Amino acid sequence: MSDGDALVSGIEPDLTGLTKERADHKDRDSTCLNDEEQRFYIAKGSFANPSKESATNLVGLLKGKLVSKGYSTQVVDNLDLWADDVSVAVVMNPETRLTFVLLARMDSTPNLMIVGKTECYRRAG
């Protein structure tokens, strides 16, 4: 979840109403088996100055930061959506199997959503 925190820390001054949810103590509803668990990271916020923001540029910046950390777009790159008012990118770390969905939109709030989630893995202990 540190990758999600690192993404948000770089853009935090440009957001208002930022909320972060880190599901690292309890599981959210998931389709995992009884002896498995899954972790989530969710950050949402609105642009402090929407007239100076671009959904496409922001998602591209965040995606680039994750790619530089070893995340891949090869598996899901064809799902990326780039439009003037909405941009979505999906990246996955092939080693850790952590997937991030990055969404920025201009027409409704929250303007930015970052969702990270692991695959189901065997529960420790």
Side-chain angles (χ1 to χ4, degrees):
M1 298 301 126
S2 62
D3 288 349
D5 285 337
L7 280 179
V8 171
S9 70
I11 58 170
E12 200 164 350
D14 300 324
L15 298 173
T16 62
L18 179 65
T19 61
K20 293 185 236 176
E21 179 182 347
R22 298 179 68 190
D24 49 3
H25 295 296
K26 63 177 189 157
D27 294 335
R28 295 174 57 95
D29 292 335
S30 74
T31 58
C32 297
L33 300 174
N34 288 339
D35 62 342
E36 294 178 330
E37 59 189 346
Q38 188 174 40
R39 298 292 182 224
F40 293 84
Y41 177 92
I42 302 169
K44 298 177 187 177
S46 296
F47 297 136
N49 190 347
S51 65
K52 291 186 177 182
E53 297 295 340
S54 163
T56 302
N57 290 346
L58 182 59
V59 168
L61 173 73
L62 297 175
K63 180 179 174 180
K65 287 182 178 188
L66 288 172
V67 168
S68 73
K69 290 179 174 260
Y71 284 77
S72 172
T73 60
Q74 291 181 355
V75 175
V76 291
D77 196 45
N78 61 342
L79 297 178
D80 289 4
L81 169 68
W82 301 90
D84 290 337
D85 294 332
V86 177
S87 290
V88 179
V90 180
V91 294
M92 182 181 72
N93 186 311
E95 188 175 313
T96 63
R97 308 298 287 173
L98 174 61
T99 301
F100 273 98
V101 176
L102 312 168
L103 173 109
R105 57 190 177 187
M106 302 305 296
D107 59 351
S108 60
T109 57
N111 300 116
L112 174 69
M113 291 188 287
I114 299 171
V115 178
K117 80 173 195 173
T118 66
E119 291 185 349
C120 295
Y121 59 92
R122 188 152 315 275
R123 189 181 313 272

